Amino acid sequence: MKKHAPYLIYHTYMRLKALKGTADDRNLMEKYEKVQSEANRNIGDAVLSSLYDSHVIFIIRNLDELYQLFAKEHSKVAEPEKEEDLEVAGTVAKFIKPDKALLEFRHRFLAHHKRMLWEDATSRYYTQHFGILIRHAVRPNPNHQEADPSFMEAVCKSFNYMTLVCCCLLLLVPLDYLNSSSNASLKLDLVKISAVKEPKAGTILFNPGGPGGSGRESFIGLSAAALSVVTGGIYDLISFDPRGVGNTIPFSCYPNDTLRTTYNLKAPVFLNSSDNAIGAIWAARQTLVRSCLDNAKDRGDLIGTGYVARDLMQIVDALDEGGLLNYLGISYGTLLGSTVAAMFPDRMGKLVLDSVINPHDYYAGRDVSGAIASDRCFDGFIAGCLANPQACALAQEAKDARQLESQIYGLLDSIKYNPFVIGSDLVSGIIDYSVLKMAIFNALYSPVTWPLLAAGIQGTITKNATQAAKLVAFNTPEPTVFPSLGYEASQGIRSGDVSLRTDNLTSLLPLIDEFCATSRILWDGLSSPTLTYAQWPFKAKGGYTGNFQVKTKNPILFIGSDMDPITPLASARNASAGFEGSVVLQHEGYGHPSVAQPSVCTLRAIRDYFVNGSLPAAGTKCSPDFGLFSNTTLANSLVLVSKRALQEEDNDGARLLAAAMQLNAIVPRAPVV
């Protein structure tokens, strides 16, 4: 093979000893076994001995088949645990003990969704761990009524018609594209979900956002099936961990977790969290930068977006499907999409970019325009609360929007100097400015969390420790299944990409003032990363240096919302202006990304473009299908979906909405660094 010729190595992620299915299933397995044999011959025994095990395909037709598989693989029957029970194949009487890897995944998945649902109602989730369906049960909160169980039937009905075939892949790409004298390679871990319908239209690559978000982890849960629904089911789907993330040359600034934890606990985040916060944060970021330079100098310039864009095209070449990139990117994934489209315009297939970052401002390190809708989003929180007092505890604290807004900003000012102690734990037992602001910052992403935010704010105002403690949930890092260094990956990618550099804090103050004038509610969080950019010791290699004025082979579909707190509609229009023939769809929901307050109209536009290439007409607007404060949990939101599906008022729309809700659960929240 040619030097650095891309190839795929099929390897095992999880093993099942026996798999029985239909004749079609067996034919499919034989097809992939043939691919496996060809890979064996092409790669060579030396590589196989270290990287290649055996290719296992998981084909699950229904829950009964799943039960039989687990019964064969795990002969022992275990008693259910106290809080989290694994219910297989709908058989309550039997609890099958999974192997260690699956058990670890189950605990992490439950921990994430328990945090998201806050145990306000019984919730049973069907999820997929690389094709294996598992039903999870969360113990109900006795203070609330059980959610309508029909939503379970709807979720099952929405996804059980599918047969998912999943495999893990390994792609070798050049470590340093601009170093022609180096033979060093980088291993990209990919996850592939096969198309569920024929004829197959090709492959879509997916990036969930961040930067720093794990593409592999994004396929855990129902998200793989959800993506298949949203994209029409006729594409293979591939996601991967970009450079700096997961196992892909992970970017680590600290030699151990003790030092990492110490920094995260001691370093302030929000520029308005104290009277000396800006200076303290500048100094803290100096220590971070020095630690990154000491511990990551061998990779600090190799993880930028320009190199990830080249990696995308290496995957396209390896697929050998005509050389065109089909791509779905969310949030930072839109920046990656805009970059690869500008670098390789003649190789663009169908691209959908949802919740768009302004590429000009991003690379300049001056993304003030990203903040222009954050106050409108916060206004929506206040208006939605007052319009739905039965679902918003905070509504009783004010008679109108102006008074409620004044209450919240007054609380932020007072709690800066008088934190509210709710427990004995130094980390989770104090509600201070940073805890409250982080709760608001994270909640504005997802309207489904607004009742929880309102309860936490109301509890802090009234000194109700139990209610105020709900704010802590927004400050709890999401658990991960694959290795992750969280914020460090984001810091390494973003800071290396941008051009902003200065060793003088004073010179940054005018930029910080711009953020302050643009957004009252989020200015001190959205401007915080500039203090890292300015001092960053690495410059990413291979960055795009053009003006984003290109014509792609096929037009791009951009999606933006004027109530998105960090990637407003204006950013989508700004990006679209440079790509001739592109179209902007205006999603009229709150939050980030569009699936945060989903719309069947928006989802159908995405699917229509991928399936038949039809773009929405210029000026198209799509309204969300769920109102603000209309449901207290994601589970209760699914009740509305279930009624539509079970009553067959709009089965297709219900399936799309269920898919959107699952996708919203896996979109990374942009860290404030």
Side-chain angles (χ1 to χ4, degrees), residues 394-512:
L394 191 57
Q396 61 187 287
E397 300 300 323
K399 61 182 180 180
D400 56 34
R402 179 176 294 183
Q403 184 180 11
L404 184 53
E405 179 184 67
S406 177
Q407 278 265 60
I408 295 173
Y409 281 113
L411 178 63
L412 281 165
D413 288 339
S414 65
I415 207 167
K416 185 189 308 183
Y417 304 103
N418 298 286
F420 179 28
V421 178
I422 62 172
S424 58
D425 189 312
L426 187 60
V427 176
S428 61
I430 299 176
I431 305 296
D432 58 12
Y433 178 95
S434 294
V435 171
L436 177 56
K437 182 56 79 76
M438 185 65 79
I440 294 172
F441 190 100
N442 285 333
L444 290 185
Y445 275 71
S446 184
V448 75
T449 67
W450 289 3
L452 183 74
L453 175 66
I457 294 176
Q458 196 262 348
T460 305
I461 292 174
T462 61
K463 302 302 181 183
N464 182 324
T466 300
Q467 289 291 88
K470 294 183 178 182
L471 296 175
V472 178
F474 292 100
N475 289 259
T476 304
E478 295 183 3
T480 60
V481 174
F482 297 116
S484 173
L485 296 170
Y487 290 175
E488 288 162 68
S490 179
Q491 291 163 342
I493 296 167
R494 289 197 295 172
S495 301
D497 277 343
V498 307
S499 60
L500 176 66
R501 296 291 188 276
T502 181
D503 58 3
N504 185 349
L505 174 59
T506 302
S507 66
L508 283 181
L509 296 182
L511 177 59
I512 294 172

Side-chain angles (χ1 to χ4, degrees), residues 477-673:
E478 295 183 3
T480 60
V481 174
F482 297 116
S484 173
L485 296 170
Y487 290 175
E488 288 162 68
S490 179
Q491 291 163 342
I493 296 167
R494 289 197 295 172
S495 301
D497 277 343
V498 307
S499 60
L500 176 66
R501 296 291 188 276
T502 181
D503 58 3
N504 185 349
L505 174 59
T506 302
S507 66
L508 283 181
L509 296 182
L511 177 59
I512 294 172
D513 288 342
E514 284 187 56
F515 276 98
C516 186
T518 304
S519 171
R520 183 182 182 187
I521 191 62
L522 295 187
W523 73 269
D524 61 338
L526 294 176
S527 61
S528 185
T530 61
L531 276 67
T532 306
Y533 304 158
Q535 306 179 75
W536 199 247
F538 310 111
K539 179 60 180 175
K541 288 186 174 182
Y544 175 69
T545 58
N547 60 5
F548 289 95
Q549 299 289 323
V550 297
K551 181 178 181 179
T552 52
K553 184 176 181 64
N554 292 285
I556 301 173
L557 173 57
F558 291 93
I559 300 172
S561 168
D562 211 23
M563 282 78 74
D564 184 318
I566 63 168
T567 58
L569 177 64
S571 294
R573 288 175 172 161
N574 184 290
S576 174
F579 289 98
E580 184 178 339
S582 65
V583 172
V584 176
L585 172 68
Q586 182 173 345
H587 176 79
E588 297 189 305
Y590 286 84
H592 174 85
S594 67
V595 291
Q597 195 183 10
S599 162
V600 171
C601 169
T602 300
L603 296 165
R604 282 181 175 151
I606 295 172
R607 186 180 61 187
D608 289 347
Y609 185 47
F610 279 124
V611 171
N612 55 43
S614 61
L615 288 166
T620 297
K621 299 180 181 180
C622 290
S623 299
D625 283 81
F626 297 120
L628 301 176
F629 287 89
S630 58
N631 305 286
T632 57
T633 65
L634 177 59
N636 286 333
S637 296
L638 285 174
V639 172
L640 298 182
V641 175
S642 71
K643 291 177 179 178
R644 293 175 66 165
L646 297 175
Q647 296 170 4
E648 297 185 352
E649 295 175 3
D650 186 356
N651 209 335
D652 176 64
R655 182 179 294 115
L656 286 168
L657 288 173
M661 291 170 186
Q662 293 300 330
L663 289 177
N664 184 51
I666 57 92
V667 174
R669 301 304 185 233
V672 183
V673 293

Side-chain angles (χ1 to χ4, degrees), residues 317-340:
D317 289 339
L319 292 170
D320 193 21
E321 295 177 342
L324 297 182
L325 170 67
N326 298 311
Y327 177 80
L328 173 59
I330 298 173
S331 193
Y332 166 78
T334 68
L335 187 280
L336 175 58
S338 295
T339 301
V340 72

Side-chain angles (χ1 to χ4, degrees), residues 311-323:
D311 292 341
L312 285 175
M313 300 316 299
Q314 290 277 305
I315 297 172
V316 171
D317 289 339
L319 292 170
D320 193 21
E321 295 177 342

Side-chain angles (χ1 to χ4, degrees), residues 320-368:
D320 193 21
E321 295 177 342
L324 297 182
L325 170 67
N326 298 311
Y327 177 80
L328 173 59
I330 298 173
S331 193
Y332 166 78
T334 68
L335 187 280
L336 175 58
S338 295
T339 301
V340 72
M343 293 174 68
F344 305 96
D346 294 334
R347 300 192 61 190
M348 294 300 101
K350 298 170 182 175
L351 272 68
V352 175
L353 305 183
D354 181 357
S355 303
V356 182
I357 290 174
N358 182 323
H360 308 280
D361 289 353
Y362 171 91
Y363 282 115
R366 308 176 63 87
D367 194 12
V368 178

Side-chain angles (χ1 to χ4, degrees), residues 238-286:
I238 287 181
S239 195
F240 69 103
D241 291 350
R243 292 166 181 248
V245 181
N247 290 326
T248 311
I249 53 170
F251 186 81
S252 173
C253 293
Y254 297 99
N256 57 65
D257 287 338
T258 300
L259 292 175
R260 179 175 295 108
T261 301
T262 299
Y263 174 83
N264 290 334
L265 289 177
K266 296 190 68 173
V269 171
F270 293 99
L271 272 59
N272 195 33
S273 58
S274 69
D275 294 338
N276 67 338
I278 294 179
I281 292 172
W282 177 261
R285 303 289 167 81
Q286 284 186 357

